[in-house]
Amino acid sequence: MKMNVIVKTLIVGGVCVASMACQSKKSAETAVVVEEKPKVTTEVVNLQDVEQQSTFTGNVEGFAVNNITPQQPRRIARLLVDVGDHVRAGQKLAEMENSALAQAKAQYDNNKANFERADELYKFGGESKANWESMKTAYEVSKLTYENMLENTSLISPISGLVTARNYDVGDMVVASPIFVVQQINPVKIYINVSESLYSYIKKGMSVDVELDAIPEKKFEGKVSRINPALDAATRTFGVEVTIPNANERLRPGMYARATFIMGERESIMVPDQAVQKQTGSSERYVYIIKDGVAEYRFVKDGRRVGDMIEILDGVEAGEQVALTSFTRLMNGKAVTVDNAPAVENNVVEE
């Protein structure tokens, strides 16, 4: 009798447990999970006047550069200047050894005197034309020989400027490298490779702002002095030469420079910088456009940065809404809730 009671109790308990499990399973099957839409702060973008400028880098160079060297290999007898010296046009910089110079000078003087006598006689019929022509030729050849030797013995600077290099000492045989390099540094120039997309904007004579790392406290004004009409097919750039006045000679050859070309204004779409995101693993940029409560993933081509705004050259139209927050929860085609709370107006953006 006692055993029958225990068995009945177990059977009833099992039925109750099974019934509860079934009810729980049924409730789980009928439950609907409602995912909350991400809240997004947005901003409507519009056209704005944006100053168009592009910056390129280059190195300061002398306006004119001369390599001072003899025409033939010679040994140096004297060096009259050194690196850092200022020289003027026509100044002697070095003398080369030339034992044959005195002999060439004597030959030249003798042929000159003979020709002058023959020339006087020839005018009055006292000298034949053949002899006159022979003496004239001898005179001209000896003159050219002497002047060539003289030019290669006394080396003269053709420009006024600064000695920026010296490659030999007294007694050295000059073979390949120049003895001195002289550079004209007032004005100086910068040669820049500019993107081909700007070819129609760069004009000869236009002003250029130049900044140098060596002189960070001052901005210099240059002008476009030369534009290469041929583009480099490999780099898609063209050469531009910018000339900068340098009366106080603060700018020196070799300084690293940044040249900024200012090309007027144009209307462009400007969006807050936090709206423009970078694609992971690439250089692509994208934004999320919010339209009718749905996020749209869109690639963009960005331009200039002006303060905390970025110019968009392609991908966004005026009047569209861009997302400013919740990027980790957004995806293309996902429904969102636009929540432009008053905190946004106070420049407080909460993710």
Side-chain angles (χ1 to χ4, degrees), residues 100-112:
L101 182 63
Q103 182 179 351
K105 177 67 163 60
Q107 185 68 43
Y108 163 64
D109 289 341
N110 183 61
N111 289 342
K112 180 181 179 182

Side-chain angles (χ1 to χ4, degrees), residues 161-178:
L162 187 70
V163 179
T164 59
R166 190 194 85 183
N167 298 310
Y168 296 95
D169 293 319
V170 173
D172 288 346
M173 178 67 74
V174 179
V175 181
S177 301

Side-chain angles (χ1 to χ4, degrees), residues 226-248:
R226 184 177 298 166
I227 301 173
N228 193 329
L231 277 69
D232 188 321
T235 63
R236 297 300 178 187
T237 60
F238 62 99
V240 176
E241 184 179 283
V242 176
T243 303
I244 311 167
N246 190 32
N248 56 12

Side-chain angles (χ1 to χ4, degrees), residues 75-133:
R75 195 173 299 279
I76 300 172
R78 295 176 63 197
L79 295 176
L80 306 176
V81 296
D82 204 348
V83 173
D85 290 348
H86 286 80
V87 298
R88 64 185 183 278
Q91 180 178 340
K92 184 191 294 187
L93 307 184
E95 292 180 355
M96 313 301 293
E97 289 183 355
N98 195 337
S99 57
L101 182 63
Q103 182 179 351
K105 177 67 163 60
Q107 185 68 43
Y108 163 64
D109 289 341
N110 183 61
N111 289 342
K112 180 181 179 182
N114 290 338
F115 172 69
E116 288 175 347
R117 286 194 297 270
D119 189 53
E120 288 295 324
L121 292 172
Y122 180 69
K123 290 176 181 178
F124 297 101
E127 184 68 77
S128 67
K129 184 176 181 180
N131 196 41
W132 177 84
E133 288 179 344

